[in-house]
Amino acid sequence: MSALRIRSSAVAVVRAGPRRLAGWLLLAASAAAVLLNLNPALDEASRRVFTPDVWGVYGLVLGVACLLNAYFGPDRAPRRSELLAATLEIDADAVTLDRGNQRERVPRHKLEGGYLDVSRDERWAVLRRRGADAVWIRVRDVDEGRALLRAAGLAAEQHVFRTYLVSVAEEILTPGARLAAWLVVTYGAVALCWSGSRGLGSDAHPAVIAAAIGLSCMVVYAVLKLALPRAALVGTDGVALKSFRARRFIPYADIAAVRADGRGVWLEQRGGQPVLLATVPRLSRRLLQSAPPGSRLGAATEVLLARLNEAMAVAERSDASAARFAELDRRGRPIDAWRRALERLAQGAPGAADYRRADVTADDIARMLDDVTALPERRIAAAIALAASDDPALRDRVRIAASACANEALRHALERAAEGELEAADVELAERAHARAAR
């Protein structure tokens, strides 16, 4: 990763901590009020003094909504008052911001993602830090933004891009229906807690209590599945979709085209139904009809669409040949024997005559590692071979390839291969995940 130094006319660090703290304080205060109000030991006078009755319920709902937005909502764009001109330096260890009398150093290992935001009149490179803080850097053009991300190790070919999608409820329900659902769930939860507190303190049969607890768990599971936001991971190999206790991976080989509209980004599958990556909650029919034709897409939609197009362009450049890399195949060998053969192959040690005869160089193996259309076994084999190399740049390339992989099972296998800890189960898991995606 190359060093970079640029001067930006506007840089801001947007903190997520205050929003999260406010949400947690509101949630804690409201939960305490609701629990006190449900306590049968309190008399009516105590309830009037210590609890705000129904306002505690409203506060509880508002606290949950604030926390969901703080943890899973889009990055907040900086206010004009937060912007300062700054010099940005990126080296192998850290990203350093020098804003005159303010100097901030962000270690590279604390960066968890980055992307270009071109949805506004200005172009921004956004670096996400662990803990959801974001560094917004105004760039002159898209090329400078891409160079910045590449220097930070967060470009499309270097790192998986994660973005949160709206929940299932927000995707399928109109605003009025969402409000009604929230009210039903909120007052249902209060009634459930009240009934539970009375039931546990009564002489109810244990089977009745167990059934009530089981029913409550089913309701909570259904609510979480519908209400929690989902995530999309865009890698060089495909798109991974994550929701509550559900995973799906769509390789680029199955995607014919991508397009966007007011709801989000659509993946047009070859021989299948299009998949919506919903970045905007569903609007009512009246709001949709009142929207001017040709109106701009939402910021989250444009960011996701641009990253998908960039990642798919990286995937199209893969050109590794299948026949030339037969020596990488496992062919039923035990995992240790396969690893030793690949290490000899990479180092050109005695016994690697087949490798030399195949005329496959280290650069060829590196291209196989980056070939997102190759079988998982061959990409893992390339990772093992390069990890055993004496060249630090080749070993670093394995780490980058793993970071850019959206398929969780394959990413785990590549990481284990880079550390010399690969097991047969890791390879089998990656192959099963690939087979499921190919169906």
Side-chain angles (χ1 to χ4, degrees):
M1 300 174 189
S2 57
L4 180 73
R5 178 186 174 93
I6 66 170
R7 179 70 180 175
S8 174
S9 60
V11 175
V13 180
V14 179
R15 314 283 181 185
R19 284 194 302 164
R20 293 185 174 185
L21 179 60
W24 279 114
L25 290 176
L26 179 59
L27 185 66
S30 303
V34 171
L35 292 175
L36 283 172
N37 194 54
L38 293 174
N39 188 351
L42 289 180
D43 55 23
E44 291 298 325
S46 299
R47 287 195 183 93
R48 284 194 296 271
V49 172
F50 293 109
T51 64
D53 201 15
V54 73
W55 291 107
V57 177
Y58 292 140
L60 200 63
V61 174
L62 183 59
V64 171
C66 289
L67 282 177
L68 288 175
N69 182 65
Y71 279 92
F72 305 111
D75 294 326
R76 179 180 68 81
R79 294 184 288 269
R80 292 292 174 184
S81 59
E82 298 175 305
L83 297 174
L84 292 173
T87 299
L88 180 80
E89 294 184 24
I90 303 177
D91 56 30
D93 299 320
V95 176
T96 304
L97 298 174
D98 188 353
R99 297 187 286 178
N101 59 348
Q102 299 180 24
R103 186 178 177 87
E104 186 166 356
R105 185 176 184 274
V106 182
R108 289 274 288 271
H109 68 271
K110 290 189 176 181
L111 295 176
E112 65 175 8
Y115 60 92
L116 284 177
D117 187 330
V118 296
S119 60
R120 301 167 177 83
D121 295 332
E122 302 162 333
R123 289 166 174 79
W124 298 86
V126 184
L127 307 181
R128 284 179 179 162
R129 300 199 304 187
R130 299 190 189 279
D133 291 349
V135 182
W136 288 69
I137 305 153
R138 183 188 292 161
V139 292
R140 291 189 295 269
D141 50 36
V142 171
D143 289 339
E144 184 179 64
R146 288 175 177 167
L148 192 154
L149 293 179
R150 190 170 297 107
L154 302 173
E157 67 272 17
Q158 297 170 309
H159 202 277
V160 168
F161 170 67
R162 175 192 289 267
T163 186
Y164 286 104
L165 309 175
V166 300
S167 65
V168 175
E170 289 177 312
E171 179 182 338
I172 63 177
L173 299 178
T174 61
R178 291 200 297 270
L179 176 61
W182 266 110
L183 292 175
V184 169
V185 169
T186 300
Y187 284 97
V190 172
L192 201 61
C193 292
W194 184 86
S195 301
S197 64
R198 295 296 190 273
L200 291 176
S202 66
D203 296 330
H205 193 277
V208 176
I209 296 178
I213 293 175
L215 179 62
S216 302
C217 291
M218 293 174 61
V219 171
V220 169
Y221 177 84
V223 169
L224 291 176
K225 191 171 183 179
L226 291 173
L228 285 182
R230 299 165 292 174
L233 280 72
V234 180
T236 55
D237 53 343
V239 183
L241 305 178
K242 292 186 175 184
S243 58
F244 183 67
R245 297 194 56 81
R247 301 289 187 272
R248 183 182 180 185
F249 177 70
I250 306 174
Y252 290 134
D254 293 346
I255 300 176
V258 295
R259 58 181 176 86
D261 60 17
R263 299 179 63 188
V265 178
W266 292 85
L267 305 180
E268 300 286 352
Q269 294 194 96
R270 304 181 194 276
Q273 295 295 321
V275 177
L276 172 63
L277 308 182
T279 57
V280 179
R282 183 177 177 182
L283 301 176
S284 64
R285 183 174 299 178
R286 179 179 60 81
L287 290 174
L288 286 174
Q289 291 175 346
S290 63
S295 56
R296 297 184 64 174
L297 302 173
T301 303
E302 291 204 7
V303 167
L304 178 56
L305 179 64
R307 188 60 177 243
L308 271 167
N309 285 328
E310 190 173 356
M312 291 179 72
V314 172
E316 288 175 0
R317 294 198 294 267
S318 300
D319 61 353
S321 167
R324 298 176 59 224
F325 294 91
E327 291 305 318
L328 295 176
D329 294 344
R330 186 178 175 189
R331 299 193 300 275
R333 287 176 286 183
I335 193 74
D336 290 335
W338 185 39
R339 183 189 295 113
R340 287 193 298 270
L342 291 169
E343 290 172 353
R344 290 196 303 271
L345 182 150
Q347 295 168 358
D354 290 340
Y355 163 66
R356 292 193 295 270
R357 187 165 60 244
D359 195 26
V360 180
T361 66
D363 287 339
D364 292 330
I365 298 177
R367 282 195 292 273
M368 170 58 72
L369 173 69
D370 295 334
D371 185 3
V372 297
T373 64
L375 293 175
E377 181 183 279
R378 288 195 173 177
R379 295 192 70 190
I380 295 168
I384 296 172
L386 295 178
S389 170
D390 296 329
D391 187 348
L394 292 177
R395 295 197 299 269
D396 193 51
R397 195 159 175 173
V398 178
R399 184 188 61 78
I400 294 173
S403 298
C405 189
N407 186 331
E408 257 187 316
L410 181 55
R411 180 169 69 248
H412 177 73
L414 293 176
E415 290 171 346
R416 298 271 289 177
E419 296 165 0
E421 300 175 354
L422 185 73
E423 298 180 358
D426 300 323
V427 181
E428 293 165 3
L429 186 62
E431 290 177 336
R432 284 201 299 270
H434 178 80
R436 285 197 301 269
R439 289 174 190 160

